[in-house]
Amino acid sequence: MNAIMTNFDIDAEKARETCKWDGLSEVDQALSENRLTAYRIRKAWADPLSRALTIACIAILVLFAAFVVYWDLIKA
């Protein structure tokens, strides 16, 4: 058989191998190591707005729990 083979298939395969999404490589590694939750927590804590929101929500929950305990002690 006398066929001319081009580098099109070889080049396309190499392009797929070298095309990396740098933004998603850390997420892909986290998924493969089954540590996505820890990744999300660290990523959220690094964001100042998310950190402030987390602290505010925890503070509201603690204040509510303190109010419930205090109200229960007064009424008892």
Side-chain angles (χ1 to χ4, degrees):
M1 184 173 244
N2 191 6
I4 298 174
M5 186 169 241
T6 63
N7 286 339
F8 180 72
D9 294 331
I10 297 170
D11 292 341
E13 185 66 31
K14 287 181 182 176
R16 274 183 255 146
E17 288 176 4
T18 59
C19 180
K20 293 184 179 180
W21 294 30
D22 294 333
L24 296 177
S25 64
E26 190 175 348
V27 174
D28 183 45
Q29 183 181 2
L31 281 171
S32 66
E33 295 177 5
N34 197 16
R35 57 178 182 87
L36 188 59
T37 303
Y39 169 78
R40 286 181 179 165
I41 291 171
R42 276 187 273 129
K43 196 77 168 176
W45 192 253
D47 180 28
L49 183 61
S50 179
R51 185 183 323 148
L53 185 63
T54 301
I55 292 172
C57 288
I58 289 173
I60 289 171
L61 289 173
V62 167
L63 288 173
F64 178 73
F67 170 75
V68 168
V69 169
Y70 177 73
W71 191 261
D72 188 46
L73 290 175
I74 289 178
K75 293 292 183 176

